[in-house]
Amino acid sequence: MEAFVQYLFSGLTNGAIYAVIAIGFSMLYSATELINFAHGEFVMLGALGLVTLWGGLHLPLPAAFALTVAGAALVGFLFERTAIRTVKKPHPIVLVIITVGASIFLRGGAMMIWGKDAHSVPPFSGHPPIDVAGAKLLPQSIWILVIAVVLAVGLFYFYRRTLTGKAMQATAINKWGAWLSGIPSERMVLLAFVMSTGLGATAGVIIAPITMCSYDMGTMLGLKGFCAAMLGGIGSLWGALAGGFTLGIVEALAVGYVSSAAKDAVAFILLLLILYIKPSGLFGTADASRF
Amino acid sequence: MKERTAIHSHGVRTVLVLAVIMIFTGSALAEEVYKIGGIFSVTGRASFLGDPEKKSMEMMIESINAAGGIDGRQLEAVIYDTEGDPTKAVMAISKLINKDNVLAIVGPSTTPTTLAVMPFAEKAGTPLISCAAGNKITMPVNPWIFKTAQSDILAVRAIFEHMKTRGIQKIGILTVANAFGESGREQLEAQAGDFGITIVQADKFGGNDTDMTAQLTKIKGAGPDAVICWGTNPGPAVVSKNAQQLELGIPIYQSHGVASPKFIELAGESAEGTLLPTGKILVYGLLPDADPQKAVLTAYAENYTKAFNQPVSGFGGYAYDAVNILAKALKGTGGDKGKLRDNIEAIKDHVGVSGVFTFTPDEHNGLAADAFVMVQIQNGTWELVK
């Protein structure tokens, strides 16, 4: 029982991270039908940004958090403006390959700035682990869970209640139609990029204290987030959230009860299964109504 | 084209004439040199190995030459960079053997590059002293291949010997899923029985995993007396943090793969009390004066720090030892590669940076378990454990 609860905590923590990354994937996809394979690198930028601003320059945590996310979003903005917008014939496959190139570029840049060594930062709050039924729950895990849920709920309200959110949704459903009704759809796409990369960086910031941050940490996290987004049905907010938590918990249980060597395999087997059985994902409908 | 060929053949003729003159006057010319090749990953991912190795080799050759060389002949180092790439390593060894006509080769820096060049050294009959740690380099023994880096076998033995003194019988192991971790796991499993130790739980983690609590919970459930983690940064630091969070309450052993100040920096206070084997260079200042290596280690560390103004690492020591062994074996060979090889194999009790070397026809690493010392992390620094 104690072990099971511990696996569950481990799964929830990892799951929340996957969920935040998956939401970033999903919201960009729903606005642009583009899978951004550089998304994992924004997670890395978030983590390493926190290492520099909080760990290195000792800014107050909220300021370092906000600056890091803003900085990564700015990189996302430049990425959209310089690499995506300028493409003459924006065929999906061309754009996807551009994102792969961007991920290599960002990884190389980060290696030059932060070096090849890993870095670490302390937890947000220095409380000791909390004992629940013999298992240990880290305060940082609570931070991660709370932030993930707050982000998801916040996004939900953004899409439902604000004019910008609705305009973005309209652009996602029909770009041309939205443009005809006076919505600046190009600007909406740009906003989607900025928000998506900002979300990626947020995931990086909140996991920085529980792991080691290095220039090559983003690739695997990005792939896991992508799996989670596909699992839940890409384009769906709640799907991304559910996909993330499912993936995290299944992984942790697989490590605990099957074999730790199977950890990464589990994510990709789940992905293949879902693509065979229900290609639209757990929460996706055939014609995704998206967010 | 014709003209060029003519010039070319003219050049060849000049060289031939010079060569003939050299043959007749060679013994009289004191400036004839012994060429030693070096193949290191000076740049690229493994530059932390190759860079200090290249510097150590150059430093040692300079000091041998300053002292009058070997049998009155100067040494010359010809060093190529592999960038950690086996293909480039093969190109480098071909150049060293065919163009530079070196007597012996030091390096390469990594196990994959060494395995790639070994057949070429053997075919050309050129002794090669590798600076890589992999067991496969000297097992099975290849007559022309030696190595100076301590292997996993010795690190595992050092850990198990220490466990025996503490009465530890049941252990859990957690290894990284790459070549380093696999090799460590094989050795841990192979040698545990010899020390009366049982592995109650064996688990793995990915090099970039963010959380190892699930694996550690599983290990905790199996009730071991201690945990051995085998990996290179950053994974082991995550393991160390997670173990502290889970209040594992049993000793944690790490491998020599994290024997650098970086590990203490990453793992922070969770590293306190961690035990690990390391080459003596990391703690040379703490060694008792009776230690046979103390003088060599101190001299190397001081010379290196003075020459390059950067902290000394165990990696440069591999090349330092290789050059010293070659220098010893070169004496009286007159530049004969076969004699050189025989002399290397006959070296006994050579005190080096990585340990005390005694080569035999069946043992081309030449080190014993005392090449490693066990250290414990206390107050953010290393302390020798008895």
Side-chain angles (χ1 to χ4, degrees), chain B residues 68-223:
Chain B
I70 310 280
D71 298 337
R73 300 202 202 181
Q74 296 280 293
L75 296 182
E76 184 190 332
V78 186
I79 297 175
Y80 293 114
D81 181 11
T82 66
E83 298 164 35
D85 178 355
T87 316
K88 295 217 168 85
V90 168
M91 279 155 62
I93 197 167
S94 307
K95 265 195 261 176
L96 286 176
I97 291 171
N98 300 320
K99 185 175 140 259
D100 301 313
N101 288 316
V102 296
L103 277 180
I105 293 163
V106 178
S109 312
T110 67
T111 305
T113 46
T114 303
L115 293 177
V117 303
M118 277 164 52
F120 295 88
E122 188 186 9
K123 212 170 127 205
T126 306
L128 180 139
I129 306 184
S130 170
C131 297
N135 302 328
K136 283 188 193 139
I137 297 169
T138 50
M139 282 162 71
V141 169
N142 179 322
W144 296 92
I145 313 296
F146 301 82
K147 72 171 179 132
T148 48
Q150 307 99 328
S151 65
D152 297 349
I153 304 174
L154 302 177
V156 167
R157 202 174 295 162
I159 290 181
F160 281 162
E161 272 170 8
H162 183 260
M163 286 186 157
K164 221 174 160 185
T165 63
R166 296 278 171 101
I168 291 168
Q169 282 164 347
K170 289 187 294 175
I171 57 164
I173 62 172
L174 190 52
T175 55
V176 66
N178 66 19
F180 182 74
E182 285 304 307
S183 168
R185 192 175 53 82
E186 273 171 31
Q187 282 307 318
L188 287 166
E189 285 173 351
Q191 293 188 39
D194 304 344
F195 292 87
I197 289 169
T198 14
I199 298 172
V200 291
Q201 182 67 48
D203 270 294
K204 293 180 187 177
F205 60 89
N208 279 329
D209 279 4
T210 50
D211 176 67
M212 277 66 146
T213 46
Q215 286 96 324
L216 285 168
T217 306
K218 205 170 160 188
I219 289 174
K220 192 182 177 186

Side-chain angles (χ1 to χ4, degrees), chain A residues 2-3 6-7 10 14 17 116-121 129 134 136 138 207 209-212 214-217 220-221 252 254-261 263-264, chain B residues 43-47 174 202-206 208-215 217-220 233-235 237-238 241-242 244-247 262 265-268:
Chain A
E2 179 195 325
Q6 191 66 59
Y7 297 144
S10 167
N14 276 332
I17 297 162
K116 283 183 235 166
D117 283 332
H119 307 270
S120 72
V121 287
K136 303 285 182 299
L138 297 185
I207 62 164
I210 61 165
T211 185
M212 301 296 147
S214 62
Y215 76 99
D216 58 354
M217 70 186 284
M220 203 49 171
L221 285 170
V255 171
Y257 296 112
V258 187
S259 158
S260 45
K263 183 173 178 254
D264 291 336
Chain B
T43 59
R45 239 192 129 80
S47 60
L174 190 52
D203 270 294
K204 293 180 187 177
F205 60 89
N208 279 329
D209 279 4
T210 50
D211 176 67
M212 277 66 146
T213 46
Q215 286 96 324
T217 306
K218 205 170 160 188
I219 289 174
K220 192 182 177 186
N233 288 327
V238 180
K241 278 188 170 183
N242 288 165
Q244 187 196 30
Q245 289 149 1
L246 291 177
E247 292 166 16
K262 191 76 198 169
E265 185 197 320
L266 288 177

Side-chain angles (χ1 to χ4, degrees), chain A residues 29 33 233-234 278-290:
Chain A
Y29 178 81
E33 305 225 310
I234 191 140
K278 200 167 181 299
S280 54
L282 293 174
F283 287 75
T285 47
D287 181 29
S289 67
R290 304 192 180 110

Side-chain angles (χ1 to χ4, degrees), chain B residues 67 253 343 379:
Chain B
Y253 289 78
N343 283 355
N379 303 322

Side-chain angles (χ1 to χ4, degrees), chain B residues 220-284:
Chain B
K220 192 182 177 186
D225 303 327
V227 180
I228 302 179
C229 170
W230 207 270
T232 46
N233 288 327
V238 180
V239 170
S240 181
K241 278 188 170 183
N242 288 165
Q244 187 196 30
Q245 289 149 1
L246 291 177
E247 292 166 16
L248 226 48
I250 50 176
I252 295 176
Y253 289 78
Q254 296 276 1
S255 74
H256 53 305
V258 297
S260 74
K262 191 76 198 169
F263 174 71
I264 300 183
E265 185 197 320
L266 288 177
E269 59 173 25
S270 73
E272 285 295 304
T274 301
L275 291 147
L276 63 147
T278 166
K280 291 178 182 170
I281 189 79
L282 194 67
V283 286
Y284 75 91

Side-chain angles (χ1 to χ4, degrees), chain A residues 9 47 49 62 71 82 84 96 117 139 158 222 225 238 250 256:
Chain A
F9 286 162
T82 56
I84 299 288
V96 164
D117 283 332
F158 170 72
W238 300 118
V250 171

